[in-house]
Amino acid sequence: MIYAVVNQKGGVGKTTTAVNVAACLAEAGRRVLLVDVDPQANATSGIGVVVGEGLSTADVLLDGASAADAIVASDIDNLSVLPSHPDLAGAAVELPSRERREHLLSAALRPVAGDYQYVFLDCPPSLDLITVNALVAADRVLVPVQCEYYALEGLSRLMTTVASVRDHLNPALKVGGLLMTMHDARTRVSGDVVAEVRRHFPELMFTTVVPRNVRLAEAPSHGEPVIVYDPHCPGADAYFEVAKEVASRG
Ligand SMILES: Nc1ncnc2c1ncn2[C@@H]1O[C@H](COP(=O)(O)OP(=O)(O)O)[C@@H](O)[C@H]1O
Ligand SMILES: [Mg+2]
């Protein structure tokens, strides 16, 4: 199952979700691949892979390198990584003129996807061609939504983009779920936003709501998922529950 972690807003918890759900499923014994397709390469460094050391999604998408050659092991058993690199920013200029430009990631992952039970694609904060490539390669879309006002803003455009990719490029694509992130029980905003998103998308919301937890923000600077950095913090508990929901949704 290939999950694209998508939201065109930055800072909503895409990378945190991709890294930590991938790590939790790997810890549970599943074979998992984390693919970083954001030129910012936050998932790459956040899981402890040095940016720029080997081949990356930039080489795979722009220069035809094979995904198998670019994939590296992480420090977590069962978790492999296809790293990103800032050069992937060149995709914006280089890819539009390519043949089958929306299918490059899907084609690149096809030979390796069967080696993994779960693949997570950590997307950039946009709905550009890289994200469209991720949506074409994916079976499911996982949308982190930050618990703040205006959370719904942009979601309808995201849903329209998903529908358009389904209609024209990837008929199998489904929305795998909306995950509320950075919930702060002390503020009214958080509760209001969860209720509002639930009202608009009752069947799509994950039951688990990820709390705001400083451990989740600290872990990436140590190159570790939160279940390694602090396995008993509320953020780790939440992502274990999210991973269970992902596994049970199939
Ligand atoms: N639940 C959370 N609690 C506290 N900080 C968080 C949480 N989720 C994400 N963060 C922090 O918020 C920032 C944005 O999260 P990130 O996952 O990088 O978002 P995106 O990938 O959507 O841009 C990062 O500094 C991250 O560490
Ligand atoms: Mg990110």
Side-chain angles (χ1 to χ4, degrees):
M1 191 66 71
I2 304 182
Y3 279 87
V5 184
V6 181
N7 188 326
Q8 71 271 36
K9 282 194 189 182
V12 299
K14 288 183 292 298
T15 300
T16 305
T17 296
V19 165
N20 288 298
V21 175
C24 287
L25 287 166
E27 159 108 354
R30 312 298 166 90
R31 291 185 311 278
V32 184
L33 174 65
L34 175 64
V35 179
D36 192 349
V37 284
D38 184 350
Q40 293 183 58
N42 292 333
T44 304
S45 55
I47 200 71
V49 173
V50 178
V51 175
E53 213 162 62
L55 292 172
S56 70
T57 47
D59 301 293
V60 171
L61 293 176
L62 305 180
D63 296 326
S66 84
D69 288 343
I71 291 171
V72 293
S74 74
D75 289 337
I76 317 285
D77 284 348
N78 306 313
L79 178 57
S80 299
V81 181
L82 176 39
S84 187
H85 186 279
D87 283 353
L88 185 57
V93 249
E94 292 196 32
L95 294 191
S97 59
R98 301 278 179 94
E99 231 175 276
R100 290 184 62 76
R101 58 189 183 175
E102 295 95 353
H103 299 269
L104 300 169
L105 183 62
S106 164
L109 292 179
R110 199 161 298 130
V112 296
D115 298 342
Y116 303 95
Q117 288 160 296
Y118 293 97
V119 179
F120 290 91
L121 313 175
D122 185 33
C123 292
S126 71
L127 294 174
D128 68 4
L129 199 43
I130 293 182
T131 299
V132 170
N133 262 270
L135 293 174
V136 172
D139 305 295
R140 299 280 186 275
V141 190
L142 200 170
V143 186
V145 180
Q146 189 178 352
C147 292
E148 56 148 36
Y149 283 119
Y150 312 117
L152 278 168
E153 204 175 75
L155 278 185
S156 65
R157 197 158 81 87
L158 173 53
M159 294 304 173
T160 305
T161 303
V162 170
S164 161
V165 169
R166 186 189 301 123
D167 288 347
H168 301 290
L169 298 163
N170 178 10
L173 185 64
K174 293 195 178 113
V175 178
L178 266 55
L179 176 65
M180 303 306 300
T181 65
M182 297 183 234
H183 183 269
D184 186 343
R186 295 166 306 178
T187 68
R188 221 180 115 187
V189 184
S190 278
D192 288 354
V193 173
V194 172
E196 198 187 356
V197 176
R198 186 169 281 134
R199 194 152 48 76
H200 279 80
F201 302 99
E203 71 293 0
L204 290 179
M205 284 236 316
F206 278 83
T207 308
T208 309
V209 172
V210 179
R212 186 171 280 286
N213 177 209
V214 70
R215 304 310 244 171
L216 285 168
E218 291 166 358
S221 63
H222 298 262
E224 291 174 345
V226 75
I227 56 165
V228 173
Y229 179 66
D230 187 351
H232 302 296
C233 70
D237 292 344
Y239 275 108
F240 267 125
E241 291 304 316
V242 176
K244 273 193 220 158
E245 284 193 60
V246 167
S248 70
R249 283 179 180 214

